[in-house]
Amino acid sequence: MDRRGTALDGRGLGAPPSWHGLGPGGRGTLAVVSFTATALIIYAIFSSGFGRLPRAAIRAPEPLPAPAPAPVQPPAAGSVAVPGPAETVAVVADGFWLTYLPGGLVRTGGDGTGARFASAAGGFVEAQVTRGTVAADLARFLSRIKVRDARATTVRGRPAVAGRHPAGGRLIAWLERPGTAMSIRVSDSLGGELLALAASVRAPVGD
């Protein structure tokens, strides 16, 4: 064979082309094609979900339990309840009323001439209106109720007597006008409120 045939036989028929046999342009083209093919293969693998756990296999976190409310402690045995605010108006009878009444007292009785207010702790206030000849003057009125350990005082500028009631507790009595008198009796526990109660009394207009 000629020299050209010998060169071809020396390279070997059917052998794959060598990387070094390509020119610079061919090698660059081959590198771009290889990189693109690799990127497409990787994208296809991850898009198919390969290597990821199924969604149902991932357990959702358990919800945190709600905090339990703090227990309410009952009041200690023997504790004393705090009384409510003082009432502003407490009707006595016959047009008379009190504009002050110690807190914790509620009306528990009375008739057309008076009223009684009491508390759960045992304190009480009794207010009584007296009309007629027995209340013609203060001396006659006081002889009827018999105040013990009496001492003179005043109620809204009117002469009055304060002392102890024959049945117990503190008492104050005065004449609103001739023919109309009033007395207030309180338990010993409310003795310090006696003068304030008497000063809060309001009578009908013109009485």
Side-chain angles (χ1 to χ4, degrees), residues 15-93:
S18 171
W19 173 271
H20 298 288
L22 296 176
R27 290 197 298 270
T29 301
L30 183 60
V32 170
V33 171
S34 299
F35 177 82
T36 304
T38 303
L40 290 175
I41 293 171
I42 294 173
Y43 176 79
I45 291 174
F46 280 98
S47 297
S48 65
F50 178 79
R52 288 186 297 178
L53 293 175
R55 187 177 300 272
I58 302 176
R59 297 184 58 185
E62 295 292 335
L64 295 176
V72 178
Q73 296 295 333
S79 60
V80 179
V82 178
E87 297 182 20
T88 55
V89 175
V91 177
V92 176

Side-chain angles (χ1 to χ4, degrees), residues 141-169:
F141 178 55
L142 293 178
S143 66
R144 179 175 180 267
I145 59 177
K146 301 183 184 303
V147 181
R148 295 179 179 175
D149 302 327
R151 59 181 177 84
T153 185
T154 59
V155 173
R156 292 178 282 109
R158 296 170 173 81
V161 171
R164 299 195 62 82
H165 192 278

